[in-house]
Amino acid sequence: MTGTVYVTAGSGSYHTDLACKALDTARLNSRTGKVRVIPADEATAQQRPACLVCTAPAATEWVVTKANLGELWELIGPSKPYYSLNETADRAVCDGLTIREHKGLPRVVARFGDTIRHDRGRYTVHPATEDVR
Ligand SMILES: [Zn+2]
């Protein structure tokens, strides 16, 4: 990889588009709110993943992780973070992504470890096996 890329403390990914919505969300989530420009080689050396929104090749399947949740939220139009009550912590914690009802499909939750597939505007969720989660 050559040239420069954009990174922020709010995300582990590197971005190639300064106008990327996921980069902006990560910037807002970081303490400093700063976007840094680094050499692309440095991002490679740090083993940063390519942003799913502005940099990674278009995909039709993603495994939901804590690291890519914000990017999937930007990428998948009918979605929002999913929260459930963690009784041990006595507070709501983020467990994954809610895919809102769309194209005749009902609302469904993709928890961390589950796979989301995209086909002709329809998003479906395929649960991980328990040992993966
Ligand atoms: Zn991006």
Side-chain angles (χ1 to χ4, degrees):
M1 221 171 24
T2 57
T4 57
V5 295
Y6 305 100
V7 298
T8 179
S11 150
S13 304
Y14 70 87
H15 305 257
T16 53
D17 182 359
L18 189 56
C20 174
K21 280 171 139 187
L23 174 62
D24 196 46
T25 301
R27 180 187 62 77
L28 291 170
N29 286 338
S30 70
R31 196 169 296 166
T32 63
K34 288 198 173 118
V35 172
R36 291 187 304 126
V37 182
I38 64 169
D41 289 345
E42 192 179 320
T44 304
Q46 293 173 350
Q47 298 184 321
R48 286 178 179 269
C51 171
L52 298 177
V53 179
C54 69
T55 303
T60 56
E61 188 173 304
W62 308 268
V63 174
V64 184
T65 66
K66 283 184 181 170
N68 70 15
L69 184 76
E71 292 168 10
L72 289 175
W73 182 15
E74 299 293 354
L75 201 62
I76 298 173
S79 72
K80 63 178 185 177
Y82 173 77
Y83 287 85
S84 68
L85 179 66
N86 179 309
E87 295 191 5
T88 309
D90 195 27
R91 64 184 175 89
V93 293
C94 186
D95 279 342
L97 199 67
T98 299
I99 311 226
R100 297 175 201 265
E101 55 278 10
H102 66 286
K103 298 219 171 196
L105 297 174
R107 184 174 60 168
V108 65
V109 174
R111 291 186 169 78
F112 293 130
D114 291 351
T115 299
I116 297 172
R117 292 198 184 114
H118 180 225
D119 182 31
R120 286 165 286 178
R122 295 160 67 97
Y123 294 94
T124 53
V125 175
H126 306 269
T129 55
E130 286 302 318
D131 54 324
V132 174
R133 198 172 276 163

